[in-house]
Amino acid sequence: MRVSSSVSYIAKRSSCLPRVKPAIHATPITRSFHSSRALAINFDPYKTLGIDKNADDKKIKKAYYDLVKKYHPDVNKEKDAEKRFHKIQESYELLRNKEKRAQYDQFGSAAFDANGNANPFAGGGNPFGGRGSAQGGNPFAGMGFDFEDLFREAFAGGRGGAGGRGGREYVNRHVGDNIEILKSIPFKDSIFGSKITVNYKAVDTCGTCSGKGTKAGATKTTCPVCHGTGQTTHVLGGFHMSSTCATCQGAGVTISKKDQCGTCHGHGVQEVPKSTTVDLPPGISDGSRIRIPGAGDAPFVTKDAFNETSNGDLIIRVSVQRDPKFKRENNNLIVEEDILMTTAALGGEIVVPTLDGQKVKLKVRPGVQSGKKLTIPDKGVPINRNKNNRGNFEVILNVKTLVPETPTQTALLEALADAFNDKSAKRTHADWNVDENNNEDDVNESYDEKDLNPTKLNRIGKLLGKFFNLDSKDEKK
């Protein structure tokens, strides 16, 4: 995965993803099998393929493929593997031909003479006709039988074998990198959902050469280092070690500089700007990730018949902006509302805005305390992306203390303190005392509120006052 940025992808991607070594190299099989002239059919083709005489063409073909994969001399190094492999070939060629199979079913091995030719009364010619058996080379030439195609199909594993999907075994599949980008959204959009557009840069198939990496009319050439195998062999301490060819990166082919595409310079891909629109679900939380399949980088490999490519994914990581008034706690929305001390004492009604844009009226009982939580159901965050099923909307009351600014306000508050027998409240009268029943002789220390958290300037003044034995102006006050 990579994080989207403005840095050139070509500069950052000097190598591609590790390649999966194919079961058989894409280059043609060069090994030839030469057979001598058969003297007679001295074996049972049904037993050789492990099938009964009632087997249909599909079962015959499947049995042949399974045995080819097991006994091909390039795979099986047993002593008699090549001999058995020829018997498998001959058995398959005989049974796949309806006329020759009928001859064998009727006359057995007597259907063919000592030279391998068909018995005159059985009809047909050499069951392995053509020049292959007599001259070497492909023993099935002239019969419309391409052994290499069948062998490649047999080794296609789950893709091209019997019951497979018909794929080609030497096709490598490459997947590009994922791209992750950060998208900031408003708080309200995270609650109710929205449609966002993201712009980013991604590696994509070159539009000039369609990902081939070559100029129009030019072709790739076999890698001169690995000779098309995609692997290089090194001898270390007597051991043969194989590794991916560094010249062609395992592709087996290269593109000469003069044949390279002028746009992508032979890479088959280029970095391009992209834009995509996404629907954010309601109730999405901060840090959530939205995955868009196939919208990421293309693999850093050229396209051809031997490579299948698919893009990685685009991952959008959501960052929810803070709201100055509302907060989220799980599926609940929380708002703090200031109320005056008189409202808290006497009770009353307050109007609170909601995130929906509506306003609700709440009744406050007399004597409510600061921190009281009032809960309104079904006005919170949508649960499981369902706007009809929402959490709660919680209003936390914050009682605001009144500060008198006029003599009238001061007098009224003092009268209120007298009415509630509050002897701790300050009075403006000269004979005012904090508590007339308190004996000042019992007080050891006295502090002014402003001295409990002195400023730096006051601290410096007190320090200088003590040093010079002087009283600061603040102390005189």
Side-chain angles (χ1 to χ4, degrees):
M1 181 187 297
R2 74 179 179 94
V3 178
S4 178
S5 66
S6 59
V7 180
S8 171
Y9 181 86
I10 303 301
K12 293 169 62 179
R13 295 292 188 276
S14 58
S15 62
C16 62
L17 295 174
R19 296 174 179 269
V20 179
K21 184 178 179 181
I24 299 179
H25 295 305
T27 53
I29 300 173
T30 57
R31 182 168 183 171
S32 299
F33 300 97
H34 303 275
S35 60
S36 59
R37 182 180 299 276
L39 297 178
I41 301 299
N42 56 359
F43 56 85
D44 187 343
Y46 290 104
K47 291 183 178 180
T48 302
L49 297 182
I51 57 178
D52 56 40
K53 290 188 176 183
N54 296 324
D56 56 16
D57 292 342
K58 185 177 180 180
K59 291 182 179 179
I60 294 173
K61 189 174 182 181
K62 182 180 185 304
Y64 171 67
Y65 285 166
D66 293 340
L67 293 172
V68 163
K69 289 191 286 186
K70 183 177 180 180
Y71 291 104
H72 191 279
D74 281 350
V75 178
N76 195 317
K77 301 301 181 182
E78 295 180 5
K79 186 175 180 180
D80 61 341
E82 186 167 346
K83 182 178 179 181
R84 185 164 183 173
F85 180 72
H86 283 295
K87 290 176 66 176
I88 294 170
Q89 289 178 316
E90 293 172 3
S91 299
Y92 178 68
E93 277 303 304
L94 189 153
L95 297 180
R96 71 189 294 268
N97 188 301
K98 293 183 179 180
E99 295 182 1
K100 294 179 177 61
R101 180 180 179 182
Q103 292 173 2
Y104 181 83
D105 289 343
Q106 183 176 1
F107 303 104
S109 58
F112 308 98
D113 60 20
N115 294 321
N117 296 319
N119 198 314
F121 62 80
N126 185 351
F128 309 109
R131 59 179 183 270
S133 59
Q135 300 176 0
N138 186 353
F140 309 110
M143 300 182 64
F145 175 77
D146 188 345
F147 169 72
E148 290 183 3
D149 284 345
L150 283 178
F151 183 66
R152 283 194 291 268
E153 188 176 357
F155 272 82
R159 299 190 302 274
R165 295 182 297 167
R168 302 171 69 182
E169 93 292 338
Y170 47 83
V171 173
N172 290 331
R173 289 175 171 82
H174 305 272
V175 180
D177 288 341
N178 295 337
I179 299 177
E180 181 172 330
I181 61 176
L182 180 66
K183 180 65 175 180
S184 178
I185 63 172
F187 182 84
K188 186 174 182 179
D189 289 351
S190 72
I191 303 300
F192 300 112
S194 66
K195 182 173 291 188
I196 62 172
T197 300
V198 292
N199 301 311
Y200 62 102
K201 286 187 177 181
V203 175
D204 204 358
T205 301
C206 176
T208 303
C209 64
S210 300
K212 297 178 181 179
T214 58
K215 294 179 179 178
T219 58
K220 300 177 182 179
T221 57
T222 302
C223 176
V225 177
C226 66
H227 306 290
T229 64
Q231 301 285 322
T232 55
T233 304
H234 311 277
V235 179
L236 298 174
F239 293 94
H240 291 261
M241 309 292 291
S242 295
S243 61
T244 302
C245 177
T247 302
C248 65
Q249 299 297 325
V253 291
T254 58
I255 304 174
S256 61
K257 195 166 185 178
K258 63 182 181 63
D259 292 331
Q260 291 179 358
C261 170
T263 303
C264 65
H265 307 289
H267 297 294
V269 293
Q270 60 181 150
E271 192 173 51
V272 296
K274 284 191 172 185
S275 178
T276 185
T277 301
V278 182
D279 288 323
L280 292 181
I284 190 169
S285 58
D286 184 57
S288 298
R289 285 173 167 82
I290 305 295
R291 182 182 293 269
I292 305 174
D297 283 338
F300 204 79
V301 62
T302 56
K303 292 184 178 181
D304 52 37
F306 311 105
N307 290 318
E308 289 185 3
T309 63
S310 58
N311 287 21
D313 300 336
L314 172 65
I315 300 174
I316 303 175
R317 184 159 57 92
V318 177
S319 175
V320 180
Q321 301 170 6
R322 290 179 178 271
D323 189 89
K325 190 172 185 63
F326 298 95
K327 295 179 182 179
R328 176 178 178 176
E329 186 175 295
N330 298 325
N331 291 323
N332 297 330
L333 285 175
I334 300 174
V335 63
E336 293 187 5
E337 187 70 17
D338 292 339
I339 63 172
L340 293 176
M341 181 180 69
T342 49
T343 303
L346 301 174
E349 293 180 347
I350 60 173
V351 177
V352 181
T354 64
L355 193 62
D356 303 60
Q358 301 173 348
K359 293 183 179 181
V360 294
K361 182 183 292 186
L362 299 176
K363 290 186 177 181
V364 179
R365 64 176 178 81
V368 69
Q369 300 297 314
S370 185
K372 175 66 177 178
K373 184 186 296 183
L374 305 178
T375 301
I376 305 174
D378 299 327
K379 290 288 185 181
V381 180
I383 301 174
N384 295 329
R385 304 180 180 182
N386 184 4
K387 292 183 179 180
N388 296 322
N389 181 23
R390 299 172 59 178
N392 298 327
F393 180 56
E394 297 180 346
V395 181
I396 299 177
L397 300 180
N398 181 22
V399 179
K400 186 177 180 182
T401 303
L402 296 175
V403 179
E405 298 179 354
T406 65
T408 301
Q409 293 175 348
T410 302
L412 290 173
L413 288 176
E414 288 181 4
L416 181 63
D418 292 339
F420 282 89
N421 197 25
D422 183 2
K423 298 179 180 180
S424 299
K426 181 181 177 180
R427 305 298 198 278
T428 56
H429 303 295
D431 58 348
W432 170 82
N433 197 343
V434 174
D435 190 348
E436 58 184 8
N437 296 324
N438 289 342
N439 190 349
E440 293 186 358
D441 294 337
D442 295 335
V443 179
N444 296 322
E445 293 183 83
S446 179
Y447 294 93
D448 192 335
E449 182 185 357
K450 64 181 179 180
D451 294 331
L452 296 178
N453 296 290
T455 63
K456 290 184 179 180
L457 184 60
N458 289 339
R459 291 177 183 175
I460 295 173
K462 287 184 177 182
L463 179 61
L464 294 176
K466 290 180 180 179
F467 182 76
F468 293 104
N469 198 18
L470 297 173
D471 293 334
S472 66
K473 295 182 179 180
D474 292 337
E475 290 177 342
K476 289 180 181 180
K477 291 181 179 178

